[in-house]
Amino acid sequence: MAARQRDIFLTGGEGDRYFRRNREFYSDKRLADELSSAAALYSKYIKPGDRILEVGSSSGVNLASICRATNCQGVGIDPSGEAVSKGLQLFPELDLRVGTADKLEFPDRSLDFILFGFCLYLVDREHISRVVAEADRCLRDGGWIGITDFMPDVPTARPYAHCAAVTSYKLDYGRLFTAFPHFQLVESACFNHTDDRFSTDPQERLCAQVIHKQLSEGYQRI
Ligand SMILES: C[S@@+](CC[C@H](N)C(=O)[O-])C[C@H]1O[C@@H](n2cnc3c(N)ncnc32)[C@H](O)[C@@H]1O
C-alpha cells in the first residue's frame, strides 16, 4: 500500500525538505513586518485578541505578520519539526506545534480564524473531508476560514515536483466548505506565484478566499 502523503511529510522528512529548500524565506524575520496581499485580506477579518490558527504554517513567518498587524494570538501547525523549531526561535510570541491538517488538537469552537496556508493541495484525498470536519469543529460560530491555494478551472492531480510519491491536488477548496449552508464565501482574490496579477494559466493560478461561518444562517426556516 502506498504511504500516506501526511506521513511522507510528517515522519518521512518531506516537510523538513520543503523547509530546507525555502530556508532563506522562512528564516527571514524581517518579512514578519510586511503583509502580503493575501495576509492583508485575511487581516481585515481578525480583531485584537482573536485566536488564529494557521495550518501548514512552516516557520510561522506569514502568521507572525498577521499577528503583528492585528494584535491577535497566533497558533501554527506544520509537519516539519525543523520549521517549527526555527519558528519558535524567530517568533517566540507564536504557539507553533508539529501537526497536520487532519487532526487538530484544539477544543470545539475555540478558534476565531483558521487559515489553510497553501497546504490543502498536499492533503491525502482520504483525509480531505476530515480536514473540513476538524476545522468546522474547532471554529467558533461567527468565525472565519481563510484558504490560500491553487485555483485551477477544473480539479487536477499532478505529480509533486519534489517527491515522486506525492501528488498535488488542485481544486477550489472553498467549495468543500460552502457546500454546507452555514459557510458563506465573503471575499476572494486571485494572483500568481510571483505577483498579484491574475494568471491566465489555470495550473499556476492561486487564490485567497475568506469564508464566514454562521450556524444560524443558510437555512430557510419553514
Ligand atoms: C507551500 S508550503 C506553505 C507554507 C506557508 N503557509 C506559506 O504560505 O508560505 C506548504 C506547507 O504545508 C505543510 N504541509 C504538508 N502537508 C501538510 C498537512 N497534511 N497538514 C498540514 N501542513 C502540511 C508543509 O510542511 C509546508 O510547510
Side-chain angles (χ1 to χ4, degrees):
M1 196 174 66
R4 292 206 168 95
Q5 300 200 169
R6 175 196 57 197
D7 302 327
I8 293 173
F9 274 83
L10 190 61
T11 49
E14 197 54 39
D16 287 341
R17 285 190 284 280
Y18 173 82
F19 171 69
R20 286 181 213 149
R21 281 196 302 277
N22 299 284
R23 187 191 296 274
E24 206 180 325
F25 176 84
Y26 290 110
S27 303
D28 189 346
K29 232 178 143 167
R30 292 165 306 175
L31 292 176
D33 294 323
E34 298 165 17
L35 269 186
S36 67
S37 51
L41 176 73
Y42 301 135
S43 296
K44 284 167 51 181
Y45 299 91
I46 297 170
K47 296 190 305 305
D50 277 358
R51 193 145 191 260
I52 165 173
L53 168 68
E54 183 180 0
V55 181
S57 54
S58 189
S59 69
V61 63
N62 293 325
L63 179 62
S65 73
I66 294 175
C67 292
R68 284 181 193 180
T70 62
N71 269 319
C72 69
Q73 301 168 41
V75 187
I77 62 166
D78 197 280
S80 166
E82 289 184 23
V84 167
S85 300
K86 186 71 194 174
L88 287 169
Q89 267 173 31
L90 296 174
F91 310 113
E93 71 274 25
L94 298 180
D95 173 357
L96 299 174
R97 311 173 188 183
V98 172
T100 53
D102 52 291
K103 191 161 190 281
L104 301 183
E105 309 276 357
F106 304 96
D108 294 4
R109 302 180 172 195
S110 60
L111 299 167
D112 299 291
F113 195 113
I114 300 177
L115 169 58
F116 290 98
F118 206 2
C119 64
L120 290 175
Y121 74 101
L122 295 169
V123 170
D124 295 283
R125 293 306 88 179
E126 67 199 299
H127 289 163
I128 198 73
S129 53
R130 197 185 300 170
V131 168
V132 173
E134 277 289 85
D136 195 7
R137 179 183 66 75
C138 296
L139 189 68
R140 71 167 168 87
D141 189 13
W144 309 86
I145 297 283
I147 300 174
T148 300
D149 222 293
F150 290 104
M151 181 61 82
D153 44 5
V154 293
T156 54
R158 69 190 302 190
Y160 179 61
H162 308 285
C163 175
V166 172
T167 299
S168 296
Y169 298 99
K170 305 184 182 183
L171 61 96
D172 176 355
Y173 284 99
R175 287 173 51 196
L176 303 189
F177 288 89
T178 58
F180 296 97
H182 63 281
F183 284 109
Q184 302 279 333
L185 178 66
V186 177
E187 197 172 347
S188 66
C190 287
F191 49 99
N192 66 60
H193 275 296
T194 47
D195 59 42
D196 286 344
R197 279 177 292 185
F198 178 78
S199 170
T200 49
D201 176 354
Q203 281 301 305
E204 294 306 315
R205 190 178 304 145
L206 313 182
C207 194
Q209 303 189 60
V210 179
I211 292 166
H212 189 227
K213 174 176 177 176
Q214 189 80 56
L215 289 170
S216 59
E217 286 196 358
Y219 290 88
Q220 197 172 39
R221 304 271 163 194
I222 56 169

